Amino acid sequence: MQTIGAAKFKEQCLALLDHLGPEGLVVTKHGRPVACVLPYERRFESLIGSLRHKIEIRGDIVSTGVHWNADAEP
């Protein structure tokens, strides 16, 4: 786990949060750990069905629109 001093964390807080790795970050003060910053666990179950009634399907979404005959000779 990466460590960083409290003063440097204060200066670069937003940038550090943008690039926070899965292992997190330990904030130290005078060489002693005082805080541990961990990424928030994201739950993707809430995304299932989130676009319902927001997307309109037009036409056949299974077909490419190209008609071909697999039995035809080249």
Side-chain angles (χ1 to χ4, degrees):
M1 192 175 285
Q2 184 181 0
T3 61
I4 188 168
K8 191 170 183 179
F9 178 78
K10 182 179 176 183
E11 291 173 11
Q12 302 175 356
C13 179
L14 296 178
L16 290 168
L17 293 177
D18 286 340
H19 303 291
L20 188 62
E23 69 281 349
L25 181 67
V26 175
V27 181
T28 61
K29 196 169 184 180
H30 302 293
R32 296 184 181 152
V34 292
C36 180
V37 180
L38 296 173
Y40 185 76
E41 182 180 326
R42 295 181 180 210
R43 301 224 174 234
F44 295 106
E45 297 90 27
S46 63
L47 294 177
I48 297 173
S50 63
L51 294 177
R52 181 179 293 160
H53 305 299
K54 295 180 183 177
I55 295 177
E56 181 181 337
I57 298 174
R58 296 180 182 175
D60 185 4
I61 63 170
V62 179
S63 173
T64 61
V66 177
H67 300 285
W68 60 282
N69 184 355
D71 296 328
E73 293 184 29

